[in-house]
Amino acid sequence: MQNKIISTSNSIRLQTKVIFPVVVLLIMGLMILKSTSSQVPFFDSTLYKQIIWIGLGIFAFFLIQYIRVQVFYEYAYILYGFMILALVMTYAMPAISGSHRWLFLGPIRFQPSELGKMILIFTLAKFLSDRRDQSHPVHTILLAFCLSAIPALIVFKQPDLGTAIIYIAITVPMLFWAGVHPYYLFLLLSPFISILAAFNLIAFYLWIGLVILILIYNQPKLWVGVVTVLVNIASGTLSTFIWNHLYPHQKQRILTFLDPMMDPRGAGYQIIQSITAIGSGGFLGKGLGQGTQTHLRFLPVRDTDFIISVLSEELGFIGIIVVLIAFFGLVYWVVTYARFVHNHFSSLTLVGIISMLFVHMSINMGMTVGWLPVTGLPAPFISYGGSFLLTSIAAVAMANNIISNDI
Amino acid sequence: MTVYKQNIRHKSSLLIWVAGFILLLLGYRFFELQVVDYHKYWSKAQSNAVRRISVPAQRGIIYDRNGVSLVDNSPIYDMKVIPVDVTEVFNYGLLADVTGLEETELREKIRQGKRGISRFRPLLIQRHIGFEVMARLEEYRLELPGLIFSQLPARVYPDSCKLTHSLGYLRNITEEIIQHSDTTLNYRPDDIYGAAGLEMSYEAYLRGRDGVELHTVDILGRDLGVLQQENYYPPVPGSRLDLCIDARLQLKGERLLAGRRGALIAMDPVNGDVLAYVSSPDYDLDSFVGPIPYDLWNKWNTDPNRPLLNRVINGTYPPGSVMKLVAAAAALKYKSVSPTWTVNCTGSYVYGNRTYHCWNEGGHGLVNLKTAIKYSCNVYFYHLIQQMSLEQWASMARAFGFGSRTGIDLPYESRGVVPTKKYMNNKYTSRGWAKGNLLSFVIGQGDVLATPVQVAQMINLIAQKGRTCKPHLSKDIMLTPFRLDLKPSTWDFIQQAMWEVVNGEHGTGKSSRIPGPAVVRGKTGTSENPHGEPHSWYGGYVTLPDGRMMTIAIIVENGGKGSHVAAPMAKEMFQLFSDLYLTSG
């Protein structure tokens, strides 16, 4: 058994509780793509391509069921090494619309950062399951963040802010699942939240109040508490101070640096159109193919980043409820299964997978409703897009494999 | 510090709670946008994608009294190109040939248009092309991708008679006009409006009401066609305007005055219908289809013949001997003299230190009121006027409608002048009023000024014995009576005198006589003026056996004697009228 990639003894079962929500989301995505492709010949349409990708995804899904999961535990660091190498190699490749995201192997275009999401999950799962008996949470936290920060920095410079956020974001719930007290995670993350909160004074005061409350509740050593509060206030004031003393063009430069794919016609434009599309959909929606915002092209990137806006416009609040419930079902069942999986690596992998999908979905939705800046993260299973769709299906396939074989 | 060991059940439920909470927050946000603020975003989406397109109403067509169309609508076109749709197959050479533009210029213009966001917006290539050019280009649609035409309303003049000054013309509206116009006309920028003549008088009537179509547009502003909705309303075409003009008489009048400066107006005295309305020289109404080239407008404005002047209502002339009829009426009304009162005309008359001449240097001998009118003897009237006051004469002139607007349905009519003592004192402070002025006034000279339409109106009163209607071009107008109460014997006397002028031996108006059963009565006039030859006047009317009548007033500027120039023109008009209306019954 050892070192074999394929396990013929795997039981192939469909975990309907996990698969069903995914199928719902895929179907909703196809419905919307059918609507947005209505003016295009079928064989040129994104609908057609999405169906091909889903077909490939289903094939991959069944292949993955035969994989011996532990192989990823054994080879995690080697894969991690290859991933870093591949990510670095993208810089040697020609840029497409200003970013170095792809490797070109003859005619095939390959985005290593996409596969990297899964590899990072395996790596963190191996690292955290190995260290679960260690008694230095701070070391664990720092090392785990190092593991995710290295690829995150590389993709951030590609530049691909969205993927970098994903790499960092999946680390937090995995650390939590590995047993790190949320208090430490909180201490670690609070200065970053302070910087963000500082953009709104009331939010900042509330946040600092919350920090103090949490510190009091956890009764740390006095110096730890004082330092935490001071660091938070300092990072908050520093961010506003610096920001306020920048010239507009410098602010713009920073914003552009953070998000180079920002629409050239103005950062607010896409968001305004997206919110208008969503709001005008109303409770029941305008009906498939009836969305004026969508079909008159007021809405940008409607097949990928803003597909949720199209869905809201055409299927209404009802459609969004269906999406949210389906996605919550997926989260609920994957986390619940993760509880019962005996193997720590597998359990952590499940949490990593669901975190990755969840962060995608919530950031995408937050973006379409104007709560988060435009980062170009697609909505899992709904958005059109080959490699991310394959990644998502592969992740679910892996979850299905784990649940079927290790429960 | 120890690794916090927590029950795995707590950890999983915390994760689920956090995830659930975030999804709930997102759900709330969607609820806020889609349910709470639905109406706000719905209307925002509507205004995003729906554009109100004004559909111009067809302007009313103008017909003559027999249903001959005088003014019709014919669209003209602006030719535009949507640069982004122009492909390699675009035939620049063909477009250059048809439009007369430079091919290289066209290429450059379109090439520049292809840059930037404006490449989706129509680029104007040529304004105001006719239907024929448009149709020719439409044939080659496949070779001219991206070429579009936008339609503009314009007027055409299908009949051969021109009616230039009475019809008037349309102009592009200006912001100033919009602000000063009646809001019910609902003008918008780029509209056209009646700026002169009947087009102006009957603007509200002819204009109609523009409709509205809701069109769907995409983000690039491209029109995706009509959006059917209940708040769409179609354009209401302007009402047709039927004129009293008889195109045949009109054409005759225009031909008679062609090449001369002058005016002619023919009317039905019974109801004030204007049958012909000519002011000469005129200008080309077709030039008003597009913007008038500056040099053309300039040429019209500086032309010494003043083609833009509407002589029928704005030409103020000394009426000359035609005015003697007023003096005769006043003399009979105020019994200044009896019809048998005679004067010996020797050809001149000395009043004060000035000698006043009769037109006939040899003198007319003994003349009474009737023969004085017949021969148009000035000396008789020099004597006559001294038997009455200025006030008596002036009030009679005003009663005949001189000195005030006739109320014809055209804008900017002139009043003319019936002088009073006050007027004379104001005008000539140094000399002021002198009784000698009366001697000029009575023969329609000096400061007396009248428009041709006022002269025609006077003839109307005479023909109808004081019961006529105000002149009007539109047939659909409510008739406004215009009356002058004099004794029937007075009217009979004037009519007889006018009969003598035309039909009597040596009458001054004999060249307006026509053979046959129709009877012509008239009065000639020859008004001196400082610009050269005297103006030639004729005022008179024809009566057909069935009682139908047509009055006419003609002035030919610097034409010479009324008896020689204007009267023969009147004859032609009378003859045509009698031919048309005697045979048609």
Side-chain angles (χ1 to χ4, degrees):
Chain A
M1 279 294 280
Q2 275 291 29
N3 296 334
K4 280 190 180 163
I5 295 171
I6 304 297
S7 162
T8 45
S9 66
N10 267 6
S11 67
I12 312 298
R13 271 185 292 162
L14 290 181
Q15 301 299 325
T16 45
K17 285 166 183 154
V18 174
I19 303 298
F20 179 70
V22 171
V23 171
V24 169
L25 294 173
L26 283 172
I27 288 172
M28 294 197 78
L30 286 176
M31 281 160 71
I32 298 304
L33 288 174
K34 181 173 189 302
S35 157
T36 60
S37 310
S38 59
Q39 285 155 356
V40 185
F42 179 71
F43 289 105
D44 295 337
S45 66
T46 50
L47 173 66
Y48 172 69
K49 291 178 194 159
Q50 183 83 337
I51 289 170
I52 301 283
W53 281 112
I54 290 175
L56 281 172
I58 291 169
F59 180 68
F61 183 93
F62 285 105
L63 276 188
I64 285 166
Q65 300 315 307
Y66 290 98
I67 290 177
R68 188 174 57 88
V69 176
Q70 289 307 312
V71 82
F72 292 110
Y73 175 81
E74 290 151 18
Y75 291 101
Y77 291 153
I78 296 166
L79 285 172
Y80 183 79
F82 277 117
M83 173 180 90
I84 298 295
L85 195 65
L87 287 175
V88 171
M89 275 168 64
T90 57
Y91 286 95
M93 296 288 169
I96 291 183
S97 49
S99 59
H100 297 269
R101 295 188 189 180
W102 293 274
L103 291 179
F104 298 93
L105 308 165
I108 300 165
R109 200 167 83 170
F110 173 68
Q111 193 178 338
S113 61
E114 204 55 66
L115 202 59
K117 287 171 186 166
M118 284 305 294
I119 292 172
L120 184 63
I121 289 168
F122 292 136
T123 309
L124 287 170
K126 176 181 167 68
F127 172 76
L128 292 172
S129 60
D130 285 351
R131 277 187 71 93
R132 69 181 186 278
D133 295 327
Q134 297 287 326
S135 54
H136 288 284
V138 177
H139 291 181
T140 310
I141 291 169
L142 290 180
L143 284 169
F145 271 108
C146 278
L147 280 175
S148 55
I150 293 166
L153 279 174
I154 300 173
V155 295
F156 178 69
K157 285 296 284 177
Q158 278 180 342
D160 183 358
L161 176 65
T163 307
I165 289 171
I166 296 293
Y167 286 176
I168 300 293
I170 56 178
T171 315
V172 178
M174 287 182 79
L175 279 168
F176 170 71
W177 197 251
V180 174
H181 194 290
Y183 172 63
Y184 292 106
L185 290 173
F186 168 77
L187 286 187
L188 192 84
L189 291 175
S190 61
F192 298 101
I193 298 175
S194 293
I195 289 174
L196 292 176
F199 283 94
N200 181 328
L201 210 57
I202 294 166
F204 184 65
Y205 289 147
L206 286 174
W207 167 248
I208 294 296
L210 189 69
V211 168
I212 292 167
L213 277 178
I214 289 170
L215 285 171
I216 290 167
Y217 177 76
N218 282 283
Q219 307 258 321
K221 286 182 182 142
L222 185 63
W223 70 268
V224 175
V226 170
V227 165
T228 310
V229 171
L230 285 179
V231 164
N232 271 291
I233 291 172
S235 44
T237 39
L238 204 64
S239 81
T240 34
F241 181 80
I242 294 169
W243 185 259
N244 287 335
H245 284 81
L246 292 175
Y247 291 104
H249 71 271
Q250 289 173 319
K251 292 181 187 180
Q252 191 59 41
R253 204 174 292 162
I254 288 170
L255 288 172
T256 317
F257 175 71
L258 288 174
D259 182 16
M261 306 305 271
M262 203 162 62
D263 189 273
R265 287 178 65 185
Y269 175 80
Q270 294 181 328
I271 293 301
I272 292 163
Q273 296 300 338
S274 168
I275 288 176
T276 307
I278 293 168
S280 66
F283 190 77
L284 295 172
K286 296 176 185 171
L288 280 173
Q290 305 297 311
T292 56
Q293 294 293 290
T294 307
H295 290 278
L296 304 174
R297 300 181 177 278
F298 286 97
L299 200 60
V301 280
R302 58 218 177 109
D303 284 345
T304 54
D305 294 4
F306 285 97
I307 197 163
I308 291 290
S309 316
V310 183
L311 191 145
S312 313
E313 186 182 21
E314 303 200 336
L315 299 178
F317 186 59
I318 293 286
I320 286 297
I321 292 290
V322 171
V323 168
L324 289 174
I325 287 175
F327 205 78
F328 181 75
L330 181 67
V331 172
Y332 179 85
W333 285 110
V334 171
V335 172
T336 305
Y337 280 124
R339 216 174 106 190
F340 297 111
V341 167
H342 295 297
N343 185 298
H344 285 273
F345 171 78
S346 299
S347 179
L348 278 162
T349 302
L350 282 182
V351 171
I353 285 167
I354 198 62
S355 305
M356 187 263 285
L357 295 175
F358 182 81
V359 173
H360 266 102
M361 185 59 107
S362 46
I363 288 182
N364 179 276
M365 282 189 150
M367 173 185 83
T368 59
V369 297
W371 273 357
L372 294 173
V374 178
T375 41
L377 283 177
F381 310 114
I382 302 176
S383 290
Y384 166 75
S387 48
F388 178 63
L389 183 70
L390 271 188
T391 306
S392 306
I393 292 178
V396 171
M398 190 54 70
N400 189 76
N401 185 339
I402 289 168
I403 295 163
S404 303
N405 292 293
D406 206 358
I407 206 160
Chain B
M1 283 195 265
T2 55
V3 174
Y4 183 75
K5 299 239 193 283
Q6 207 193 15
N7 190 321
I8 197 161
R9 251 185 69 198
H10 286 142
K11 286 197 290 188
S12 68
S13 46
L14 183 64
L15 273 190
I16 289 166
W17 274 110
V18 169
F21 176 71
I22 291 172
L23 292 178
L24 209 64
L25 269 181
L26 287 166
Y28 165 75
R29 174 65 170 165
F30 278 97
F31 180 80
E32 186 188 2
L33 292 175
Q34 300 193 277
V35 180
V36 180
D37 288 337
Y38 165 64
H39 291 286
K40 176 179 148 195
Y41 291 111
W42 186 83
S43 50
K44 203 176 161 196
Q46 282 300 102
S47 61
N48 233 351
V50 174
R51 184 178 295 165
R52 289 165 64 89
I53 305 276
S54 162
V55 186
Q58 284 281 316
R59 206 173 164 83
I61 297 169
I62 303 179
Y63 297 93
D64 92 332
R65 66 186 302 116
N66 301 312
V68 177
S69 71
L70 302 171
V71 184
D72 208 335
N73 297 305
S74 162
I76 54 168
Y77 300 86
D78 278 355
M79 180 172 63
K80 296 170 185 174
V81 151
I82 297 175
V84 77
D85 292 340
V86 174
T87 58
E88 316 79 66
V89 303
F90 195 89
N91 193 336
Y92 291 94
L94 174 75
L95 188 60
D97 275 356
V98 174
T99 60
L101 299 170
E102 281 293 317
E103 185 179 335
T104 47
E105 255 173 57
L106 273 176
R107 274 182 193 280
E108 179 59 21
K109 200 170 184 181
I110 292 171
R111 200 177 60 78
Q112 288 191 348
K114 275 176 167 295
R115 296 194 189 133
I117 190 81
S118 62
R119 65 187 181 277
F120 298 101
R121 307 212 185 286
L123 175 72
L124 184 70
I125 300 293
Q126 198 173 32
R127 293 200 80 130
H128 303 122
I129 61 168
F131 179 80
E132 294 78 18
V133 176
M134 195 274 295
R136 246 182 95 195
L137 290 170
E138 279 286 346
E139 273 177 49
Y140 298 101
R141 198 111 197 73
L142 290 177
E143 289 179 49
L144 300 165
L147 193 71
I148 57 166
F149 299 96
S150 56
Q151 189 179 315
L152 302 168
R155 291 298 227 184
V156 284
Y157 305 94
D159 200 70
S160 43
C161 72
K162 288 151 91 184
L163 269 163
T164 307
H165 293 92
S166 49
L167 292 176
Y169 47 83
L170 305 173
R171 303 300 301 142
N172 283 328
I173 203 151
T174 61
E175 196 53 47
E176 205 186 334
I177 303 279
I178 295 177
Q179 276 168 13
H180 291 99
S181 71
D182 189 348
T183 49
T184 56
L185 287 171
N186 203 15
Y187 285 126
R188 277 186 297 273
D190 297 336
D191 270 359
I192 51 166
Y193 75 106
L198 290 164
E199 298 271 25
M200 183 178 183
S201 299
Y202 293 98
E203 171 70 1
Y205 194 69
L206 290 166
R207 182 175 156 74
R209 200 186 66 219
D210 288 353
V212 166
E213 270 179 9
L214 299 178
H215 282 223
T216 313
V217 289
D218 72 3
I219 188 169
L220 305 169
R222 283 185 296 201
D223 198 316
L224 303 180
V226 179
L227 180 74
Q228 292 297 341
Q229 268 186 358
E230 62 256 40
N231 54 351
Y232 156 82
Y233 54 93
V236 179
S239 310
R240 62 181 273 165
L241 181 61
D242 288 279
L243 298 186
C244 310
I245 295 287
D246 185 319
R248 300 164 296 185
L249 288 166
Q250 174 69 25
L251 186 60
K252 184 78 181 172
E254 284 172 7
R255 294 207 172 135
L256 287 171
L257 275 175
R260 294 182 178 270
R261 280 175 291 118
L264 178 154
I265 181 167
M267 281 200 262
D268 181 340
V270 175
N271 49 22
D273 281 4
V274 176
L275 300 172
Y277 184 109
V278 185
S279 174
S280 181
D282 63 357
Y283 47 90
D284 188 8
L285 276 180
D286 287 326
S287 307
F288 284 85
V289 160
I292 305 170
Y294 181 76
D295 52 343
L296 183 60
W297 181 256
N298 219 20
K299 194 185 126 212
W300 287 340
N301 248 329
T302 54
D303 188 335
N305 291 330
R306 302 178 69 193
L308 294 172
L309 178 67
N310 187 347
R311 286 173 162 78
V312 180
I313 59 168
N314 297 124
T316 52
Y317 306 95
S321 303
V322 177
M323 204 63 186
K324 286 171 184 164
L325 298 172
V326 170
L332 293 169
K333 181 178 178 185
Y334 298 111
K335 297 191 168 60
S336 313
V337 295
S338 79
T340 53
W341 186 70
T342 52
V343 164
N344 185 18
C345 171
T346 57
S348 62
Y349 175 69
V350 180
Y351 180 83
N353 52 4
R354 200 181 145 188
T355 307
Y356 293 82
H357 291 281
C358 189
W359 63 270
N360 187 344
E361 303 282 329
H364 291 105
L366 280 177
V367 284
N368 61 21
L369 185 53
K370 194 172 277 176
T371 48
I373 293 171
K374 178 182 173 185
Y375 301 127
S376 201
C377 175
N378 291 353
V379 173
Y380 178 89
F381 282 94
Y382 297 148
H383 287 281
L384 175 69
I385 197 66
Q386 292 174 63
Q387 307 300 315
M388 65 177 87
S389 69
L390 171 69
E391 280 321 309
Q392 286 175 329
W393 174 83
S395 70
M396 184 55 72
R398 279 193 289 272
F400 269 103
F402 292 100
S404 54
R405 297 189 179 106
T406 63
I408 191 170
D409 45 351
L410 286 173
Y412 311 128
E413 190 189 352
S414 300
R415 283 195 169 89
V417 177
V418 173
T420 58
K421 279 182 189 170
K422 199 178 157 201
Y423 172 88
M424 294 303 288
N425 284 328
N426 277 343
K427 194 171 174 190
Y428 308 103
T429 41
S430 58
R431 288 182 286 149
W433 166 253
K435 189 134 193 202
N437 293 136
L438 260 178
L439 272 63
S440 297
F441 297 166
V442 72
I443 59 161
Q445 294 287 158
D447 288 275
V448 188
L449 291 174
T451 60
V453 68
Q454 284 173 337
V455 172
Q457 182 172 252
M458 176 185 74
I459 307 293
N460 282 348
L461 283 172
I462 295 167
Q464 282 295 308
K465 299 191 177 176
R467 294 178 177 265
T468 183
C469 293
K470 291 197 164 181
H472 54 94
L473 286 148
S474 165
K475 225 168 152 183
D476 306 324
I477 204 169
M478 189 110 96
L479 296 178
T480 314
F482 182 61
R483 293 192 174 170
L484 172 54
D485 286 319
L486 294 177
K487 275 187 279 182
S489 61
T490 305
W491 293 120
D492 286 340
F493 180 86
I494 297 172
Q495 286 186 358
Q496 280 162 23
M498 287 172 77
W499 186 90
E500 287 286 342
V501 169
V502 176
N503 303 293
E505 208 178 334
H506 306 304
T508 51
K510 61 179 184 292
S511 50
S512 66
R513 192 190 309 163
I514 59 171
V519 180
V520 174
R521 296 175 176 85
K523 180 76 194 80
T524 58
T526 305
S527 64
E528 304 292 334
N529 67 87
H531 305 295
E533 285 286 297
H535 296 323
S536 179
W537 271 105
Y538 183 87
Y541 64 101
V542 64
T543 312
L544 302 187
D546 62 0
R548 285 182 198 233
M549 286 189 270
M550 178 178 80
T551 56
I552 202 159
I554 300 176
I555 180 170
V556 180
E557 286 181 23
N558 310 115
K561 286 196 173 186
S563 50
H564 292 170
V565 182
M569 288 184 182
K571 176 192 173 175
E572 299 235 12
M573 292 298 288
F574 290 144
Q575 186 65 58
L576 179 63
F577 177 76
S578 128
D579 290 348
L580 291 172
Y581 287 85
L582 203 55
T583 49
S584 71

